[in-house]
Amino acid sequence: MAGGPHQGVGPVESAAWPAVPRHRHLRLQAIVTVDPLLPPPADPPEGERVHARTADGRQVTGVLYRAVHEPDSWGSLWSGLETWELTPLLEHADAGGMAALLAVVRSRVDRATLGPEWSCTVCWPSRDTAATRALLDAGFAALDALAVRTAPPEPARPPQDGLTIRLAGQADAVEVLRLWLEELRYSEPVGLNRVRSLETMVRLLEPEVRRSIDFDRNWLAEADGIPVGLARCGWLLRGKPGRLPPGRWGLINTLSVTRDARGGGVGAALVNLAHRELLQPGVAGTFLHYSPLNPLSSVFWHRQGYRPLWTTWVLR
């Protein structure tokens, strides 16, 4: 990648699902809570300390981390090849502090030698609308939201005529992979993930599909025997530090519906079943990621009872 690393920063290690690389942004902000579901703040992440002064003379601090991925790596599927991650360490919802830090980081990025796939990201509580103004003014877009649902599952809904839902087995791995690839292509224009060559994506994703079939829940929806939808689900034993409240959480990792089947209730049927499977005794709730800019998924997930907790803002 063009451009040398800065002192105190370096590449991010990829992690296996369910701690998928897009969760790399799930880091810790030391702020006064603006949302009752936000967990207590924890220690700042690793990286380089950056400092800025606000218009009224206050000094504010953040942590900047530069992540680099090879074009054929697992991490390259979930972000650009060079990502500058800013964690503002603000003591309260502070638009002025956020604006000052963003200006310093933008100046740093502008001085760097950047490749064709770079981005700067900030993960911040979704309900902090004061900081939202500063991020918008700096040219950032809300490309990803970590959304949560804490309500009990709804009663089972009878499937529509001709639709059946069953657990996938290893014999279904090709169809599971096909539906996952379809979802990644569909979401790329308005999300964090990146589509690579078909050969690269199959090589990286197929082992994860087979592992997930053995250890997680992969629900296939079939219309008259033809696979038209997929819900990849599982559990986290505890919330990601600094992002989810403590406890065991269910995760809807992927929801995919084929183009011709969208709008027919397939996705809602898969989610209804997923909630009833995931929300076992002792599970605090369920969470997932969606793009606020996607005109279909943003409305869909709100209707399923989800609301954003953290938003990842991106400058490209």
Side-chain angles (χ1 to χ4, degrees), residues 217-263:
R217 297 288 190 273
N218 287 259
W219 295 99
L220 269 181
E222 296 177 325
D224 299 321
I226 299 174
V228 294
L230 168 70
R232 297 180 60 240
C233 309
W235 292 270
L236 294 183
L237 294 180
R238 61 184 217 175
K240 191 77 173 178
R243 284 299 177 267
L244 292 171
R248 190 170 186 235
W249 285 80
L251 168 63
I252 299 180
N253 185 276
T254 302
L255 181 72
S256 177
V257 177
T258 59
R259 178 187 297 273
D260 292 341
R262 289 174 196 151

Side-chain angles (χ1 to χ4, degrees), residues 183-202:
E183 189 277 331
L184 291 175
R185 294 190 185 99
Y186 170 71
S187 60
E188 183 196 35
V190 288
L192 293 175
N193 65 286
R194 299 292 183 116
V195 171
R196 305 298 175 187
S197 70
L198 180 60
E199 178 184 4
T200 295
M201 296 182 74
V202 170

Side-chain angles (χ1 to χ4, degrees), residues 123-168:
C123 187
W124 197 249
S126 301
R127 291 190 176 184
D128 182 4
T129 56
T132 295
R133 182 71 265 167
L135 288 156
L136 289 171
D137 289 346
F140 283 72
L143 290 192
D144 184 81
L146 186 160
V148 293
R149 182 184 187 276
T150 55
E154 296 180 352
R157 303 172 184 169
Q160 63 193 63
D161 291 343
L163 184 70
T164 60
I165 301 177
R166 62 176 178 84
L167 273 176

